[in-house]
Amino acid sequence: MFARGLKRKCWDGDEDVEGAPAAPSYSLQRQSLLDMSLVKLQLCHTLVEPNLCRSVLIANTVRQIQEEMTQDGAWQLPAPPVAGRGPLDHLVSTEILCRAAWEQQGQRPAPDLPSELPGALGAPAPGSAQSCIWEADSSRGHRGSFPKSLDQIFETLESRAPSPVEGLFADAGGPYYDLDAVLTGMVGGKSGPGGGDGLQALAPAGAPPPSASCKRDLGELDHVVEILVET
Amino acid sequence: MPSHRVPSEADIISTVEFNHTGELLATGDKGGRVVIFQREPESKSAPRSQGEYDVYSTFQSHEPEFDYLKSLEIEEKINKIKWLPQQNAAHSLLSTNDKTIKLWKITERDKRPEGYNLKDEEGKLKDLSTVTSLQVPVLKPMDLMVEVSPRRVFANGHTYHINSISVNSDCETYMSADDLRINLWHLAITDRSFNIVDIKPANMEDLTEVITASEFHPHHCNLFVYSSSKGSLRLCDMRAAALCDKHSKLFEEPEDPSNRSFFSEIISSVSDVKFSHSGRYMLTRDYLTVKVWDLNMEARPIETYQVHEYLRSKLCSLYENDCIFDKFECAWNGSDSVIMTGAYNNFFRMFDRNTKRDVTLEASRESSKPRAVLKPRRVCVGGKRRRDDISVDSLDFTKKILHTAWHPAENIIAIAATNNLYIFQDKVNSEMH
């Protein structure tokens, strides 16, 4: 809980998360909307095919939010533990965090790690969310040796099967969502003087950035790890 | 609806449709049943039942199925019913669930043959020794029996969920639309259909837009329109190409930058599109408005009516509880002068295109005793509040009127409120203006 708030403080200096009585900031509201959307994408009724129109609209919303967050620089990672290293090492350290979290839980074998972990709280990339939703019969993800490169990680993200993800998320989904609601006060829709719906009053900024980079969302991985560690 | 049955989810009405004369009204429900109502002829001898609708026939159209390949249920819910133009004594309609369209023939039997030579009145074989002469069986009147039989089953045409069906003015073909494709069928051929629109991307991860509704032009058998989740309408001409992926006309309104939010796209998604009876205009419904489009002007609608603008500040909550994805239908009256659509709290709205006046009415047991006059309702959004006003926060979002229909010639409307059907008649102004 605190780790997450602290991380945010690194990015947005003017944010005040802990015990803020005022309306949640735009970033927080936006994050909450993103989380809510990812929850919606994952919580499909398992017996009946999910409504494709609804899924597409939610996925588009997720993409919009992520594009804006990328443009705002909200996905900036905090300063690396060792100065002078390039971005690839950030990815590596995140990976280690993921591995550590999983090893703590001791539930899944390492090769499954990259494919299952990001899916736990909804895909970070709309692409992978979509392959979950659109193709219920998609083949199981790549489960070869532990991938080292960035591309390999994301390939696996996009090809993992929906069912283990759903099963995984079913356990974490409920309490996680409530936790978020408590944290942000946003989901209940009744926070602050402007109400939880002040989102649209804060018009998002201009043109969307190039799409390629915003698909790869490491901030989300980071976020996911924290939640897993908490639960 | 029958009062002896406890209302369950299966009774939720999912579609309402008048036939071309307005004599019959069909409803479909979530349990796969179709109920047809018939209008009693107005007669001086029975002044009480002045053109009221009574149950004519009830049948099970679709059953739940299980797709073993995908391990998914196929719901029996009737998504749409469309009547075929009547060509003989029988009535025919198409009913569809998510995957399968069926053609039903409805016939009346009010006579039966009597006086068989070999069978007696109960159908038992006669003792031949008692038969001394031949007789010709004669037709005697009997109590009216309505018989319904499935004449065609159009299956396996759709991978995705069917959202619309529309009968062509040629009365020989019809189209069915799912989220990504539109197929053209011949009413007599069930094992083949032509794919006329396909918006499925090569890579499903690139999917950002789906088909939401589709309809044939009422007079030009080569024209049809389909709407999308991004708020656009595409008018297609089947003479241009076999696969109508290139539209003839694209109707799209530019986004209003002052109203932009993360929900802009969702609320722009068109939930229903209907051609006017004249064929000159189209009516679309998105989450907050109904719009009238002129087929000759693609740039923007010619008229926009606010259905419940007070919900704009509640979009986040409505997104959270999924209400923002509700698909409301819209309807023209017979003379294309008034348009109607449903809303929440069992309210429905009518807009007069000529006078620019609009009214909000409520379909509920409390406010609808027989022969009572519907009282206009008002939703107050702060400011002065009148006695019977309802505040936005008191609206019941579980009571939604998604399906409405207008009689083709008279001021009679059918409103589906969850599992109840309301039929309202305007006795004072029964002629269309």
Side-chain angles (χ1 to χ4, degrees):
Chain A
M1 195 179 306
F2 290 104
R4 189 164 155 216
L6 279 173
K7 269 210 162 20
R8 291 247 153 63
K9 272 209 155 149
C10 292
W11 303 334
D12 292 309
D14 49 345
E15 264 202 55
D16 180 14
V17 178
E18 280 93 11
S25 71
Y26 176 75
S27 299
L28 210 57
Q29 290 186 9
R30 184 175 60 186
Q31 180 64 47
S32 172
L33 185 64
L34 176 65
D35 297 338
M36 192 201 304
S37 304
L38 294 172
V39 167
K40 282 182 178 299
L41 280 177
Q42 287 295 338
L43 289 177
C44 312
H45 296 284
T46 49
L47 265 187
V48 182
E49 263 179 302
N51 185 324
L52 189 64
C53 180
R54 176 179 173 274
S55 304
V56 167
L57 289 172
I58 297 172
N60 289 352
T61 307
V62 166
R63 189 181 301 111
Q64 270 184 66
I65 297 171
Q66 291 180 335
E67 282 173 0
E68 189 187 281
M69 285 170 105
T70 305
Q71 198 189 29
D72 289 353
W75 292 125
Q76 268 174 29
L77 291 172
V82 178
R85 290 214 190 157
L88 201 58
D89 292 325
H90 291 176
L91 307 178
V92 169
S93 34
T94 308
E95 200 184 291
I96 290 169
L97 269 180
C98 298
R99 208 181 340 168
W102 279 108
E103 280 171 1
Q104 278 170 22
Q105 303 211 355
Q107 284 172 12
R108 312 270 174 180
D112 286 349
L113 178 66
S115 60
E116 305 233 39
L117 175 61
L121 283 150
S128 41
Q130 281 177 322
S131 55
C132 158
I133 300 305
W134 314 154
E135 316 269 34
D137 56 346
S138 61
S139 55
R140 297 223 145 216
H142 163 70
R143 296 203 189 281
S145 60
F146 197 86
K148 301 270 191 311
S149 77
L150 183 57
D151 286 332
Q152 275 180 310
I153 292 174
F154 289 118
E155 260 174 37
T156 325
L157 284 183
E158 291 190 344
S159 61
R160 55 116 182 94
S163 36
V165 167
E166 276 178 10
L168 186 69
F169 185 71
D171 297 328
Y176 159 67
Y177 190 53
D178 292 338
L179 181 68
D180 201 40
V182 166
L183 277 180
T184 64
M186 173 67 180
V187 173
K190 296 186 171 50
S191 56
D197 308 321
L199 210 66
Q200 50 276 10
L202 309 160
S211 55
S213 51
C214 43
K215 275 196 173 195
R216 315 308 184 200
D217 198 347
L218 290 171
E220 193 59 26
L221 271 178
D222 220 14
H223 176 105
V224 157
V225 167
E226 289 156 28
I227 299 300
L228 281 173
V229 167
E230 287 159 32
T231 54
Chain B
M1 297 285 112
S3 54
H4 58 269
R5 208 149 31 105
V6 175
S8 67
E9 200 168 301
D11 293 329
I12 295 175
I13 300 169
S14 48
T15 188
V16 187
E17 188 82 5
F18 281 100
N19 76 337
H20 297 276
T21 60
E23 183 210 351
L24 298 176
L25 174 67
T27 63
D29 67 22
K30 230 176 159 202
R33 272 180 314 255
V34 171
V35 180
I36 302 177
F37 298 84
Q38 184 187 44
R39 193 174 184 201
E40 294 306 316
E42 300 197 23
S43 66
K44 292 194 171 65
S45 59
R48 286 264 167 127
S49 60
Q50 285 171 18
E52 288 185 358
Y53 285 82
D54 294 325
V55 177
Y56 178 66
S57 173
T58 303
F59 61 95
Q60 187 75 31
S61 171
H62 286 70
E63 299 276 2
E65 286 173 51
F66 197 78
D67 182 338
Y68 291 97
L69 214 56
K70 292 188 190 174
S71 288
L72 290 170
E73 264 186 17
I74 299 171
E75 284 186 306
E76 66 275 31
K77 172 168 74 90
I78 308 295
N79 292 337
K80 281 288 180 320
I81 290 173
K82 284 285 147 78
W83 291 91
L84 266 55
Q86 193 177 9
Q87 286 171 335
N88 49 42
H91 292 101
S92 300
L93 60 79
L94 289 170
S95 68
T96 186
N97 68 347
D98 283 338
K99 298 284 185 178
T100 304
I101 307 130
K102 294 187 184 179
L103 174 66
W104 293 90
K105 193 161 174 187
I106 302 124
T107 49
E108 288 184 2
R109 190 191 293 272
D110 61 356
K111 299 188 234 318
R112 68 153 182 244
E114 280 179 20
Y116 282 105
N117 288 292
L118 298 177
K119 291 185 294 185
D120 66 16
E121 295 310 315
E122 276 110 52
K124 286 196 317 211
L125 285 176
K126 283 185 191 171
D127 180 358
L128 284 180
S129 59
T130 64
V131 177
T132 52
S133 61
L134 284 179
Q135 58 183 352
V136 178
V138 293
L139 290 173
K140 294 263 175 75
M142 58 178 263
D143 288 339
L144 179 66
M145 215 165 72
V146 179
E147 296 173 337
V148 181
S149 61
R151 297 304 266 237
R152 306 263 190 275
V153 177
F154 303 90
N156 304 316
H158 289 278
T159 307
Y160 303 96
H161 290 179
I162 297 172
N163 53 55
S164 316
I165 47 174
S166 178
V167 183
N168 201 340
S169 51
D170 66 9
C171 302
E172 284 187 356
T173 59
Y174 76 95
M175 72 154 131
S176 56
D178 66 31
D179 296 306
L180 299 179
R181 298 191 178 103
I182 302 181
N183 292 337
L184 182 71
W185 303 80
H186 192 285
L187 283 164
I189 300 170
T190 58
D191 61 353
R192 265 196 315 270
S193 72
F194 290 103
N195 176 241
I196 54 177
V197 174
D198 189 340
I199 65 167
K200 183 179 176 186
N203 188 352
M204 278 296 266
E205 287 173 14
D206 298 332
L207 180 65
T208 58
E209 192 173 10
V210 301
I211 297 169
T212 52
S214 175
E215 196 181 49
F216 267 120
H217 191 279
H219 309 310
H220 303 302
C221 56
N222 57 302
L223 289 181
F224 66 93
V225 68
Y226 71 90
S227 59
S228 85
S229 55
K230 286 197 172 172
S232 64
L233 299 172
R234 285 174 174 79
L235 188 71
C236 301
D237 188 335
M238 294 197 292
R239 294 173 306 191
L243 188 62
C244 300
D245 275 354
K246 285 197 166 41
H247 49 264
S248 294
K249 292 194 182 186
L250 172 64
F251 299 81
E252 212 168 23
E253 185 173 23
E255 195 180 7
D256 176 7
S258 64
N259 263 335
R260 205 188 173 304
S261 74
F262 285 123
F263 306 109
S264 294
E265 186 185 305
I266 299 178
I267 64 169
S268 75
S269 175
V270 174
S271 51
D272 193 19
V273 61
K274 294 263 172 43
F275 279 103
S276 63
H277 292 89
S278 64
R280 168 99 191 264
Y281 305 103
M282 296 181 295
L283 180 66
T284 59
R285 175 70 152 98
D286 51 62
Y287 193 62
L288 296 180
T289 71
V290 279
K291 295 179 169 139
V292 177
W293 302 78
D294 187 321
L295 254 60
N296 298 316
M297 188 162 82
E298 298 165 66
R300 75 190 70 82
I302 56 168
E303 294 156 32
T304 300
Y305 300 94
Q306 303 295 335
V307 180
H308 36 208
E309 175 70 10
Y310 46 77
L311 295 184
R312 191 178 288 274
S313 59
K314 310 276 177 201
L315 289 179
C316 198
S317 304
L318 295 164
Y319 178 72
E320 188 202 338
N321 64 16
D322 268 8
C323 281
I324 208 175
F325 302 107
D326 286 335
K327 290 184 191 272
F328 292 93
E329 290 171 8
C330 52
W332 297 91
N333 74 339
S335 59
D336 299 333
S337 59
V338 184
I339 55 189
M340 168 172 72
T341 189
Y344 293 107
N345 209 75
N346 277 353
F347 288 168
F348 58 99
R349 304 262 283 135
M350 288 191 198
F351 304 90
D352 189 316
R353 297 178 61 213
N354 299 325
T355 65
K356 299 302 181 199
R357 291 210 325 248
D358 64 85
V359 68
T360 304
L361 299 170
E362 182 179 0
S364 72
R365 277 188 217 273
E366 293 77 40
S367 60
S368 310
K369 309 281 187 307
R371 313 210 188 288
V373 175
L374 283 180
K375 192 177 60 178
R377 304 306 309 268
R378 215 172 79 114
V379 178
C380 72
V381 285
K384 270 188 128 176
R385 195 193 151 154
R386 292 187 217 148
R387 187 163 42 109
D388 290 326
D389 283 3
I390 295 215
S391 75
V392 182
D393 298 312
S394 314
L395 291 175
D396 188 344
F397 290 93
T398 62
K399 293 186 181 164
K400 45 194 99 178
I401 293 183
L402 303 173
H403 313 288
T404 61
W406 205 309
H407 189 287
E410 296 184 38
N411 277 342
I412 303 172
I413 56 177
I415 309 285
T418 317
N419 57 330
N420 292 311
L421 179 72
Y422 293 86
I423 300 175
F424 298 114
Q425 299 190 30
D426 186 351
K427 290 295 171 122
V428 176
N429 302 309
S430 49
E431 297 303 313
M432 293 289 174
H433 300 297

